[in-house]
Amino acid sequence: MRFRSVLALPAAAAALLLAVPQSGSAATGPAAAAQPAKCAARSVVVRAHQAADPRVVHISVTNRSARTCTVDRIPTVVFGDLDGAALPVPPGDSGPYRIGAGRTAYAAVRTIADRADPEARRVGSISVSADPARFGRSFTARELGAGDAVLVWEPVTTWWRSSQAAADRQLS
């Protein structure tokens, strides 16, 4: 028990330090103060499954906590042992995406444009994270419902959206 309290004090001090806007910081003013904290890893559940379109994987993140929190607005999706991650559609930078208590956000990942593409790579799993600074969750091709392998070539991912339909439209 003492070990936890020793760790909690530096963590609380760091959280307070990070919450105070620094000079020159973009996060100043009333809007910055209203921004909810990042979602704790234990408070989010990441899910993924093959869409009806075999080129697309649907992903979601659910906030299981009792408070609104934020994840990165662009999910991080990596494929097996391949280098790199799916590129965002539309292009953009990282930033916070608010998820209300008990709410779910959705994204769509197009793993490959043409399944007959001779340059397609085959991977046995994908990993999805709602925050690139934190370890995500890996899904095997079988868990996704994609059979033995996920075909990958120039993958893209949407930003988080409030519905799966909105995420699917963004891939169009």
Side-chain angles (χ1 to χ4, degrees):
M1 199 65 163
R2 181 182 165 123
F3 187 72
R4 285 186 185 175
S5 62
V6 169
L7 290 177
L9 184 57
L16 285 173
L17 181 62
L18 292 173
V20 176
Q22 304 298 314
S23 62
S25 171
T28 58
Q35 187 68 271
K38 281 189 173 187
C39 296
R42 68 184 177 279
S43 69
V44 296
V45 175
V46 176
R47 293 183 178 91
H49 66 276
Q50 185 76 52
D53 179 342
R55 302 170 301 159
V56 176
V57 173
H58 285 156
I59 60 176
S60 65
V61 59
T62 301
N63 174 5
R64 297 185 312 166
S65 75
R67 294 186 172 186
T68 296
C69 59
T70 65
V71 295
D72 195 277
R73 72 173 141 212
I74 303 168
T76 302
V77 183
V78 295
F79 300 86
D81 59 356
L82 300 178
D83 289 339
L87 296 175
V89 175
D93 295 326
S94 292
Y97 181 86
R98 295 168 66 109
I99 302 179
R103 303 295 299 213
T104 300
Y106 304 87
V109 181
R110 185 174 51 239
T111 64
I112 190 166
D114 178 4
R115 291 179 53 82
D117 190 328
E119 297 197 53
R121 303 291 184 256
R122 288 171 166 60
V123 296
S125 66
I126 69 168
S127 295
V128 179
S129 178
D131 183 334
R134 298 185 178 149
F135 183 78
R137 180 172 171 203
S138 291
F139 301 88
T140 66
R142 288 203 186 282
E143 288 173 317
L144 292 170
D148 292 333
V150 176
L151 295 177
V152 182
W153 190 251
E154 300 180 339
V156 295
T157 183
T158 66
W159 296 17
W160 293 115
R161 296 292 177 219
S162 60
S163 72
Q164 192 63 68
D168 288 341
R169 282 191 301 272
Q170 198 171 15
L171 275 183
S172 302

